[in-house]
Amino acid sequence: MAFLTRRLVERVSLFLSFGGLVTTFVTTFLPLWKTLNSDLNEMENWYEGLWHMCIFTEELGLHCKAYESILALPPDKLASRVLMFISIATGLLGVFAAFFGLEGVLDGSGSGGGGGGGAQRRRKLKRGLLIAGGVLIWISGLTTLTPVSLVAYYTVVEFWDENVPDVVPRWEFGEAMFSGWIAGLILVVGGSFLFVAVCMGDCEVEKAEEVQALSLALSKDTARTRPYLKTEVL
C-alpha cells in the first residue's frame, strides 16, 4: 500500500468532490425528476423537474414550460430548490478550500521568512482548509441527498395512494433522481477522503517528530560518551 500516499488521497478526494458537484448542478436543472406515461396514449410522456414541466411526443418532440409561480409550488419542490442551491454553494466553497489545502499547492508563496515557524504555520493553515473543505463537501452531499429522497418519498406516497383511482396515471422516478443520489454519495465519499488525508498528514507529522526527537537524543548520548584523546609526555 505504499502507493496510497497523502497526496494521492487528496487528489482523489478533490476529483470525486468536483465530479459530484458537477453532477449535482446538472441534476438541479434537469426536468427528469419524475416521469409519467399514460396507458391511454403511449406515444406521450410527461416529465417533471424542479423548474419545468415537459411533454414529449414523437410528432412534436420535447416541449417544456416553466412553473408560473413560486408560491404555487408544492412544499417538496420549494424545499428541494432551496436545498439544491445550498448544496451547490457549499460544494463550490468546499472544493475551493480543499484545492488550496492540497499538498504542493502554493507551498512556495510567502516562504521568504520565518524558517521552520513559517512552514509549520502553512501546514496548520492547509490542515484547516482541508478540514473546512471536508465539512462543506459533506454538507453539500447531505443537502443533495435530502431533496432527492424527499421527492422520492412523496412520489411513492402518491403512487400507492388508495384514494386515487387505478385508471389515473401515476408519477414514477425519473433519471435525475438517480443521478442526484449518485452525486450525493460521491460528495460524501469525497469529503470523507479529505478527512482521511488529514489523518494521514497528522500521522506523518507525528512520525517526523518522533524521528527528530530520537536523532536528537542519540546525538546527545554520542556527545557524552565521546572518548578523550590521551597525550603522552616525552
Side-chain angles (χ1 to χ4, degrees):
M1 300 296 289
F3 68 92
L4 194 62
T5 61
R6 177 164 63 98
R7 184 186 292 265
L8 177 62
V9 173
E10 290 176 353
R11 266 62 178 179
V12 170
S13 64
L14 186 65
F15 176 78
L16 289 174
S17 301
F18 183 76
L21 178 62
V22 172
T23 308
T24 298
F25 184 83
V26 173
T27 302
T28 303
F29 298 98
L30 276 179
L32 300 173
W33 283 59
K34 296 195 295 184
T35 180
L36 183 146
N37 185 10
S38 175
D39 294 336
L40 300 176
N41 188 358
E42 297 181 355
M43 309 300 293
E44 185 177 278
N45 293 323
W46 291 82
Y47 301 101
E48 184 177 309
L50 300 181
W51 305 91
H52 298 87
M53 174 80 74
C54 300
I55 181 173
F56 176 81
T57 60
E58 292 188 357
E59 294 83 5
L60 301 176
L62 184 66
H63 290 270
C64 297
K65 181 181 179 182
Y67 299 120
E68 296 180 354
S69 174
I70 297 178
L71 299 178
L73 287 175
D76 59 330
K77 284 190 178 61
L78 188 59
S80 298
R81 283 189 182 185
V82 175
L83 289 173
M84 293 301 283
F85 275 124
I86 293 175
S87 175
I88 293 172
T90 53
L92 280 173
L93 292 175
V95 168
F96 276 115
F99 174 76
F100 289 108
L102 293 179
E103 181 185 0
V105 176
L106 300 180
D107 280 347
S109 62
S111 59
Q120 186 176 5
R121 285 193 297 270
R122 285 196 302 274
R123 187 178 70 246
K124 289 183 178 180
L125 177 61
K126 285 181 173 293
R127 182 179 183 274
L129 287 173
L130 288 178
I131 293 176
V135 171
L136 289 171
I137 292 171
W138 252 81
I139 294 174
S140 178
L142 293 178
T143 50
T144 298
L145 293 172
T146 301
V148 178
S149 302
L150 181 65
V151 173
Y153 169 76
Y154 277 100
T155 303
V156 172
V157 170
E158 293 173 358
F159 186 88
W160 295 106
D161 189 359
E162 297 180 354
N163 296 323
V164 179
D166 295 336
V167 295
V168 176
R170 312 295 178 97
W171 289 100
E172 298 183 10
F173 294 167
E175 291 83 352
M177 297 187 65
F178 297 101
S179 66
W181 276 318
I182 294 173
L185 292 176
I186 291 175
L187 286 168
V188 170
V189 172
S192 302
F193 276 9
L194 285 176
F195 296 132
V196 172
V198 170
C199 294
M200 294 175 68
D202 293 341
C203 292
E204 291 177 1
V205 171
E206 290 180 0
K207 289 181 180 179
E209 291 177 352
E210 291 178 359
V211 171
Q212 186 178 3
L214 182 60
S215 61
L216 183 61
L218 290 175
S219 62
K220 288 181 179 180
D221 292 341
T222 304
R224 291 195 191 98
T225 59
R226 182 177 299 171
Y228 294 99
L229 295 176
K230 294 182 179 180
T231 57
E232 295 181 356
V233 180
L234 299 176

